[in-house]
Amino acid sequence: MKPVRIAAALMTIGLALVMASTVAAQLKSPDDVKTGLGLLMQVSNDFKRQITAKNFARIPREFKEYTESADAVRTAVKDEPAAFKAKVETRLKAAVAAYQKVSDMSSTTPDADKLMAEHAKAVTVMNALFNLFPPELRPDPNAPAGIRGAPKN
């Protein structure tokens, strides 16, 4: 290959890498974003624990906490570019709607298996939100509880 072609190929690759870095990689409040996403994950795990324990009456309260956590994410990205905020808001609304469905079902369908299946769908929607952010800001689903205080049982 000629040196000119090699240089052109390297420049193309370099340019592609620069363009691939998303707005999310340069967030203005990465710590707040990480906290907000962590709260969403923690409350999602709380949903799962309540379903497993068949404590269906507690699930609407978990949904309230989920919406509060969603508001924390909105606040964390409020100063970001409009296009990025719009993507976050679209996926955040979808996640909140998915968890609301689980909450609504908990009072009409007290069936742990059906609720767990719906919860799994909600987690998939929530993960689509997480994918907008760099991996280092995404919560570890296996990390112990503790963002909001003491670990939960």
Side-chain angles (χ1 to χ4, degrees):
M1 209 177 222
K2 294 182 181 179
V4 173
R5 285 191 175 177
I6 292 172
L10 289 174
M11 286 180 56
T12 302
I13 291 170
L15 183 59
L17 290 173
V18 168
M19 292 176 72
S21 65
T22 63
V23 173
Q26 302 168 1
L27 293 169
K28 293 176 176 78
S29 301
D31 292 339
D32 293 342
V33 168
K34 187 172 185 171
T35 299
L37 297 178
L39 288 170
L40 289 174
M41 176 62 72
Q42 185 174 349
V43 177
S44 176
N45 289 340
D46 290 347
F47 263 87
K48 187 174 181 179
R49 278 190 287 280
Q50 299 302 340
I51 294 167
T52 301
K54 297 184 180 183
N55 189 4
F56 305 128
R58 175 78 178 138
I59 294 174
R61 174 68 183 136
E62 297 300 342
F63 175 68
K64 183 176 186 299
E65 289 182 24
Y66 195 86
T67 60
E68 291 167 358
S69 300
D71 288 341
V73 173
R74 286 184 180 100
T75 300
V77 299
K78 71 178 173 24
D79 295 326
E80 301 302 329
F84 181 69
K85 279 194 305 192
K87 286 181 187 177
V88 170
E89 185 59 29
T90 298
R91 293 190 188 179
L92 199 51
K93 281 182 180 179
V96 169
Y99 280 90
Q100 182 169 10
K101 185 171 182 182
V102 175
S103 178
D104 293 347
M105 281 180 64
S106 70
S107 61
T108 60
T109 310
D111 180 323
D113 292 334
K114 289 180 181 177
L115 286 168
M116 199 60 85
E118 200 61 40
H119 178 265
K121 292 176 190 175
V123 168
T124 300
V125 175
M126 180 178 66
N127 285 337
L129 167 68
F130 291 169
N131 289 337
L132 291 175
F133 298 94
E136 63 272 11
L137 297 182
R138 297 178 202 160
D140 177 358
N142 300 311
I147 293 175
R148 291 182 290 172
K152 299 209 176 204
N153 294 335

